[in-house]
């Protein structure tokens, strides 16, 4: 068996969606540091270019909206055209559109379903032939609140992530005969621009942050790098007997 060292992902090709900011950016950097070639997907070219700039020649930006018709096939085709293989898919792109029951509209509902649930399904499906050849790994990014109630606005977001966890378990069993592992990483409250991207005002973001810290036993927000560590290590060959799990990185929030 391979020893656990920093060279274990040399020769591997990784796709990280939502890689322009936050957890996705940190994950792209950590995969590159472990020697992998990374394709960084997101809608805005500028943050992707910043992600790539810090990754040397190992990170290739690929601007794409994962919810656009045809995008999953286009992303996979672009990866195979450039690198000839695809070993690890990280379904990380995600959005929050808060609305309590009574105020849910198509405008809050559909983008969350499209980004957090439908895109990971279609992208994983598009990647399946390449992942089969590589005996690859899928890492779905969910949330620790996907395992508990999230009243007052976040329930649809949590439901998309909870569904992704069900898919993680189902695909782990379904794809095991092909040698493909499927895992999920469930972050708790992590310091990223997700609040800003959700349309929260700075005051709302601060209120949410205070509530999150109060409900996190370790008493602080997590760092994107702490989530990236779990994502990359679960994707490593050394995790070869791990599949179908949802791994929390949440300072103890889900068990409190
Ligand atoms: P973030 O900084 O907002 O990252 C999300 C990324 O997804 C952005 O870079 C965004 O870039 C990209 N994205 C959104 N829609 C997309 C689309 N249609 N196509 C392609 N890319 C798209 O937030 P984050 O905190 O790092 O979130 C990463 C993941 O962790 C998400 O799935 C989130 O639900 C999950 N999570 C975060 C926390 C937390 O506390 N931060 C907690 C639990 C779970 P563009 O706008 O340029 O496309």
């Amino acid at each position: 068996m391979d020893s656990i060292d920093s060279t274990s992902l040399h020769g591997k090709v990784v796709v990280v969606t939502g890689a322009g900011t936050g957890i996705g950016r940190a994950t792209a950097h950590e995969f590159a540091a472990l020697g992998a070639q990374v394709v960084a997907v997101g809608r805005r070219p500028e943050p992707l270019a910043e992600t790539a700039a810090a990754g040397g020649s190992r990170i290739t930006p690929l601007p794409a909206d994962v919810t656009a018709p045809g995008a999953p096939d286009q992303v996979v085709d672009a990866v195979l055209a450039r690198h000839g293989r695809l070993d690890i898919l990280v379904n990380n792109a995600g959005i929050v559109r808060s609305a309590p029951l009574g105020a849910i509209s198509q405008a809050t509902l559909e983008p969350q379903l499209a980004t957090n649930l439908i895109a990971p399904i279609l992208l994983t499906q598009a990647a399946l032939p390449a992942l089969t050849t590589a005996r690859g790994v899928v890492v779905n990014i969910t949330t620790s609140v996907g395992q508990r109630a999230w009243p007052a606005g976040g329930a649809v977001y949590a439901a998309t992530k909870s569904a992704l966890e069900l898919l993680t378990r189902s695909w782990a069993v379904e794809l095991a005969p092909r040698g493909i592992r499927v895992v999920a990483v469930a972050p708790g409250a992590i310091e990223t621009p997700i609040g800003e991207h959700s349309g929260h005002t700075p005051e709302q973001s601060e209120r949410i942050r205070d509530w999150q810290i109060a409900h996190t036993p370790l008493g602080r927000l997590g760092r994107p790098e702490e989530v990236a560590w779990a994502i990359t290590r679960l994707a490593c060959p050394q995790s070869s007997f791990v599949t179908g799990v949802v791994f929390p990185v949440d300072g103890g929030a889900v068990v409190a």
Side-chain angles (χ1 to χ4, degrees), residues 2 6 14 22 44 66 68 76 83 99 101 115 131 142 144 150 163 178 180 184-185 189 199 211 236 244 248:
D2 295 337
S6 62
V14 185
R44 290 166 299 150
V66 292
V76 172
H83 295 294
L101 202 57
T115 311
L131 291 172
T142 62
S144 59
W150 191 3
R178 300 177 187 231
I180 298 173
V185 170
W211 186 91
C236 275

Side-chain angles (χ1 to χ4, degrees), residues 17-25 41-48 62-68 91-97 111 114-116 119 140-145 157 160-161 164 185-198 212 221-222 224 227 249:
T17 67
T21 57
I23 293 166
R25 171 178 285 182
V41 177
R43 289 171 300 185
R44 290 166 299 150
E46 300 78 16
L48 290 179
L62 179 58
D65 178 346
V66 292
T67 69
N91 286 310
N92 167 75
I95 60 167
V96 182
R97 297 288 177 268
T115 311
N116 302 352
N140 292 320
I141 308 308
T142 62
T143 175
S144 59
V145 294
Y157 167 76
T160 63
K161 297 297 194 173
L164 195 52
V185 170
I190 310 298
E191 185 91 63
T192 74
I194 195 165
E196 180 191 321
H197 295 160
S198 309
Q212 287 174 320
L221 299 182
V227 185
V249 183

Side-chain angles (χ1 to χ4, degrees), residues 96 143-145 148 150 157 187-192 194-195 198 200 204-222 250-254 256:
V96 182
T143 175
S144 59
V145 294
R148 6 180 6 154
W150 191 3
Y157 167 76
I190 310 298
E191 185 91 63
T192 74
I194 195 165
S198 309
H200 295 152
Q204 285 171 318
S205 290
E206 201 180 319
R207 219 171 32 247
I208 293 168
R209 179 194 153 109
D210 289 347
W211 186 91
Q212 287 174 320
I213 291 173
H215 289 81
T216 301
L218 287 180
R220 64 172 175 85
L221 299 182
D250 66 356
V254 84

